[in-house]
Amino acid sequence: MKPIPYGRQHITQEDIDAVVETLQSDYLTQGPKVAEFEQAFANYVGAKYAVAVSNGTAALHLCAMALGVNEESRVITTPITFVASANCVRYCGGTVEFADIDPTTALLDIAKVRAILESKPKGYYTGIIPVDFAGNPVNLEEFRKLADEFGLWIIEDACHAPGGYFTDSKGEKQLCGNGKFADMAIFSFHPVKHIATGEGGMITTNDEALYQKLLLYRTHGITRDPQLLQENHGGWYMEMQELGYNYRMPDMLCALGVTQLQRAEAGLARRKGIAKVYDEAFATIDGIEVLGTSAEALSENGDTGHAYHLYVIKVADRKGLYNFLRQHNIFAQVHYIPAHTMPYYRGLGFKKGDYPESENYYAACLSLPMYPSLTAEEQEFVIGKVKEFVG
Ligand SMILES: *Cc1c(COP(=O)(O)O)cnc(C)c1O
């Protein structure tokens, strides 16, 4: 059996052709493939605007900038996420506060967020960054109500959940990143994610003013728009109006994004199929707990809004299972080491014991192989080895 990772990209001849074609075109960056990918992505998640950027971390940084995060800002996120969800606040000089997870789903626990908000006067906190962890969509309708009550903005970190959705109180499907409840949402196109371009990211929003800021900050804070210029010296003239960055996504990668996106629904269906096989295999095994799906992501016809970036199980001897699987060329992974226990965040005053549910989850969790090109035979092999160890 060849090595089986926990996640990997799926590249077809069509993807390769699209990249080669762009390499032979007039534009390697700032060309027409950028807008084409942005438009296709906005349509896919049901948002009005999309802004392609160099990676998911840059997307988070630009969102924090556009929302005006500064030294006075205090922002709540989850410890069970990739550290970039919290770091974006630090890039802008703001303070990170964590709230613990709901142990059944490992999603940010809204009750704990509320308790933190209520412990301080209104206006003390400025924003919330919930994460659709593992592809399990956060109920953003509930988070929006809470945010409105306390005057907060929301950045949805939807890196794990393109194509995912939750069902709102009216019974309507709400796609992750559709901009209906969150001010902005962000995605990553790292090779382990659903849509793989190597590096790449996307911000989606329905807010025109935020959209304009993101465009400006993505490219040095420079504009050539005659409507916005303070002076105009001629055809060459441009102005740097804000301190921005170069966070652009090149045309070759956007071309890859376009062809990847065309297969996104098929990939998602395959992920759901893999999850179902794991679910059935582990349902009757004592000693394996499958990470729960939030109620809002379940629907009656057996379809679910869970986008299955990860398939997470919890076991007592996690390290033993991790090592046993590695011996058999199965490279399961741990998502995540709680952010507040990282030396950097400990240096800011956080300590082990601060968020017990996150730490308990971390002690037991393991992400099994989950990607569209995983074969039925490979999955059977993985299941067999997991059962062999636990049983
Ligand atoms: C991958 C990921 C990011 C960062 O994306 P990059 O493209 O790697 O910068 C941020 N948040 C979450 C939850 C992620 O999974």
Side-chain angles (χ1 to χ4, degrees):
M1 198 59 77
K2 66 179 189 331
I4 305 175
Y6 83 90
R8 68 160 292 154
Q9 73 275 18
H10 179 50
I11 300 292
T12 65
Q13 189 59 45
E14 188 194 18
D15 292 330
I16 294 165
D17 292 344
V19 173
V20 171
E21 197 182 298
T22 306
L23 279 169
Q24 291 165 334
S25 76
D26 291 336
Y27 291 93
L28 301 187
T29 192
Q30 296 178 280
K33 281 291 167 188
V34 181
E36 187 184 334
F37 184 37
E38 289 173 338
Q39 194 55 58
F41 197 88
N43 289 346
Y44 182 62
V45 303
K48 232 166 160 176
Y49 306 104
V51 179
V53 292
S54 39
N55 54 62
T57 304
L60 283 160
H61 186 186
L62 291 192
C63 288
M65 274 180 81
L67 290 163
V69 173
N70 61 25
E71 287 72 13
E72 259 102 73
S73 308
R74 297 184 187 88
V75 179
I76 300 172
T77 190
T78 165
I80 300 300
T81 185
F82 183 60
V83 285
S85 314
N87 293 351
C88 63
V89 176
R90 300 292 306 133
Y91 295 155
C92 297
T95 303
V96 175
E97 176 70 84
F98 295 101
D100 212 347
I101 57 166
D102 174 342
T104 58
T105 58
L107 297 177
L108 187 59
D109 185 338
I110 193 165
K112 298 209 175 84
V113 176
R114 174 176 282 284
I116 290 172
L117 293 174
E118 286 176 347
S119 72
K120 294 280 195 259
K122 269 193 189 170
Y124 187 86
Y125 290 102
T126 33
I128 316 178
I129 308 180
V131 179
D132 299 313
F133 175 71
N136 198 6
V138 166
N139 184 336
L140 284 176
E141 186 182 27
E142 292 298 318
F143 271 97
R144 182 78 261 168
K145 279 189 218 150
L146 182 65
D148 286 348
E149 204 180 310
F150 288 87
L152 311 178
W153 48 254
I154 298 174
I155 301 171
E156 176 189 9
D157 183 336
C159 283
H160 295 185
Y165 62 86
F166 74 94
T167 305
D168 71 10
S169 59
K170 298 196 190 84
E172 283 171 22
K173 272 190 192 184
Q174 299 293 344
L175 283 166
C176 296
N178 72 1
K180 181 144 180 210
F181 301 108
D183 296 87
M184 287 180 276
I186 71 104
F187 296 87
S188 162
F189 308 124
H190 182 277
V192 298
K193 310 284 164 74
H194 291 58
I195 295 155
T197 66
E199 297 287 350
M202 193 72 81
I203 306 163
T204 56
T205 184
N206 289 347
D207 183 316
E208 197 193 339
L210 290 173
Y211 172 64
Q212 295 298 343
K213 282 187 188 178
L214 295 170
L215 292 180
L216 198 64
Y217 297 157
R218 171 176 66 178
T219 180
H220 310 282
I222 287 175
T223 183
R224 293 173 181 280
D225 182 347
Q227 307 288 325
L228 300 175
L229 294 175
Q230 295 176 12
E231 297 175 25
N232 198 341
H233 306 172
W236 68 87
Y237 191 70
M238 52 78 169
E239 276 173 358
M240 187 200 129
Q241 297 184 333
E242 304 265 0
L243 184 61
Y245 295 83
N246 179 353
Y247 279 168
R248 295 186 299 256
M249 186 171 178
D251 277 58
M252 295 84 80
L253 299 188
C254 288
L256 185 52
V258 169
T259 52
Q260 288 267 311
L261 192 57
Q262 285 161 1
R263 294 199 310 278
E265 275 307 296
L268 194 56
R270 177 71 190 124
R271 286 174 186 274
K272 290 180 186 191
I274 291 169
K276 206 159 169 228
V277 172
Y278 279 138
D279 282 348
E280 280 160 14
F282 300 141
T284 56
I285 311 289
D286 288 336
I288 300 177
E289 188 192 331
V290 173
L291 183 66
T293 297
S294 61
E296 297 83 357
L298 290 171
S299 47
E300 60 290 344
N301 58 3
D303 183 28
T304 133
H306 197 311
Y308 287 108
H309 166 57
L310 303 174
Y311 190 89
V312 181
I313 59 171
K314 294 196 268 179
V315 292
D317 183 9
R318 189 270 311 280
K319 191 173 186 178
L321 178 58
Y322 172 89
N323 287 333
F324 178 77
L325 293 177
R326 278 181 85 93
Q327 281 162 19
H328 295 281
N329 251 351
I330 299 165
F331 294 85
Q333 192 48 276
V334 172
H335 299 95
Y336 289 96
I337 303 161
H340 71 280
T341 67
M342 291 289 175
Y344 173 77
Y345 283 100
R346 291 213 309 265
L348 294 176
F350 295 99
K351 55 189 189 310
K352 285 188 189 160
D354 282 351
Y355 303 97
E357 297 294 1
S358 297
E359 292 168 43
N360 291 340
Y361 164 80
Y362 167 60
C365 68
L366 195 63
S367 307
L368 298 180
M370 167 57 86
Y371 49 92
S373 60
L374 182 73
T375 66
E377 190 195 5
E378 287 168 331
Q379 190 180 8
E380 275 319 304
F381 179 70
V382 172
I383 290 168
K385 289 298 166 200
V386 171
K387 284 183 174 173
E388 188 181 325
F389 182 83
V390 176

